[in-house]
Amino acid sequence: MILVGCDFSSSPTRRKPIVLALGTLHGDRVQLTRVESLDSLDAFAAWLAEPRDWIGGFDFPFGLPRELVEHLGWPTGWRECIRHYAGLSRAEIRDTFAAYCAARPVGNKFAHRRFDRQAGSSPSMKWVNPPVAYMLHAALPLLLAAGVHIPGLHDGDPRRVALEAYPGLLARELVGRRSYKSDDKAKQTPDRLIARKDLLHALEQGHTRLGLRLKASPAQHDALIGDASGDRLDAVLCLVQAAWAARHGAPRYGLPEDIDPLEGWIVSA
């Protein structure tokens, strides 16, 4: 069984690709085998559709807040909601969500999924900094088209299991609120480099509640630390979350029994 961690970009390029960390699980050890880069959504769709067995943790939202969906009068069935959402343009999404936020009081502009605050994740309707609403818009239709299985949300091919992951959840457990990455070269500081080193060391030592240790080669170790954008490290954090889900196994993969079938859940949250 292949394990996958995915750091996603809604507009991938060669300079800012979708990054996949692939590995295997042996006892409590997560072995990183390789890191792949995909520079287009078409390449990502083709990867998803390949006939092989995997369990993956993907760093993008798998659902919208129920409060938002009901307010807008959109379908409340997950599959129907995603198909409706996929039919909108990014401009329509931005304008719809901006109007929703404008009508709400200061301090409570965004609607949240039930677990957002406990996971520390951005609301899935947020269209800037980070644009997770566009990530959902780009990625979820591809998961549906590929026929993958999404526990708690959509029955698909049980050999290809996709779970929502969030690297920030695990990173905060390892290095607190310290920043370890930036796409802005001016902000790729020695302090962030040290934070990446500390984060990776903690992962390798198994200093998380997940009870797993990362195993990487010296070359992989250097590449993870050397990527100042943090994309490779984020993919590896998602890989470890996917390994935790694999240990729990079907049918829930560690997800709670009472997840909202519209909103979903972040694995290990």
Side-chain angles (χ1 to χ4, degrees), residues 76-252:
T76 54
W78 182 83
R79 182 170 181 157
E80 293 73 24
C81 182
I82 296 303
R83 285 180 167 169
H84 173 81
Y85 190 63
L88 303 175
S89 68
R90 288 191 181 184
E92 288 171 325
I93 291 168
R94 181 195 64 231
D95 292 347
T96 299
F97 290 176
Y100 176 88
C101 291
R104 286 165 64 94
V106 174
N108 193 31
K109 292 291 187 182
F110 291 99
H112 292 263
R113 292 183 290 172
R114 181 159 61 95
F115 54 84
D116 276 336
R117 287 186 173 88
Q118 75 183 67
S121 52
S122 295
S124 59
M125 66 171 295
K126 197 172 183 185
W127 64 94
V128 290
N129 300 325
V132 288
Y134 297 157
M135 294 166 72
L136 190 161
H137 182 259
L140 263 295
L142 300 183
L143 294 186
L144 271 176
V148 305
H149 180 59
I150 308 175
L153 295 176
H154 174 68
D155 290 334
D157 179 1
R159 299 178 307 152
R160 293 172 294 140
V161 178
L163 298 151
E164 180 178 347
Y166 175 45
L169 177 64
L170 191 50
R172 279 195 297 273
E173 189 179 338
L174 298 169
V175 294
R177 296 281 177 178
R178 294 164 61 194
S179 177
Y180 60 93
K181 61 181 180 176
S182 178
D183 287 329
D184 183 347
K185 288 193 181 243
K187 295 180 180 179
Q188 294 173 355
T189 61
D191 284 347
R192 287 187 168 92
L193 172 62
I194 293 169
R196 288 195 300 279
K197 289 181 178 179
D198 291 346
L199 196 163
L200 185 54
H201 176 73
L203 268 182
E204 291 172 330
Q205 295 299 309
H207 294 166
T208 81
R209 61 185 171 81
L210 303 188
L212 296 168
R213 297 178 295 114
L214 178 71
K215 178 66 174 176
S217 71
Q220 291 169 336
H221 185 281
D222 291 347
L224 292 172
I225 291 174
D227 178 12
S229 72
D231 294 347
R232 287 171 174 259
L233 200 47
D234 280 350
V236 166
L237 289 165
C238 291
L239 171 68
V240 174
Q241 289 176 310
W244 180 88
R247 289 184 84 181
H248 283 76
R252 305 298 302 181

Side-chain angles (χ1 to χ4, degrees), residues 19-57:
V19 179
L20 302 177
L22 285 75
T24 54
L25 180 63
H26 308 277
D28 67 349
R29 188 183 71 195
V30 182
Q31 177 72 56
L32 176 63
T33 54
R34 66 184 185 277
V35 176
E36 298 181 2
S37 296
L38 305 173
D39 59 13
S40 71
L41 292 175
D42 285 344
F44 181 61
W47 187 93
L48 289 171
E50 289 181 12
R52 55 182 170 182
D53 295 3
W54 51 260
I55 296 172

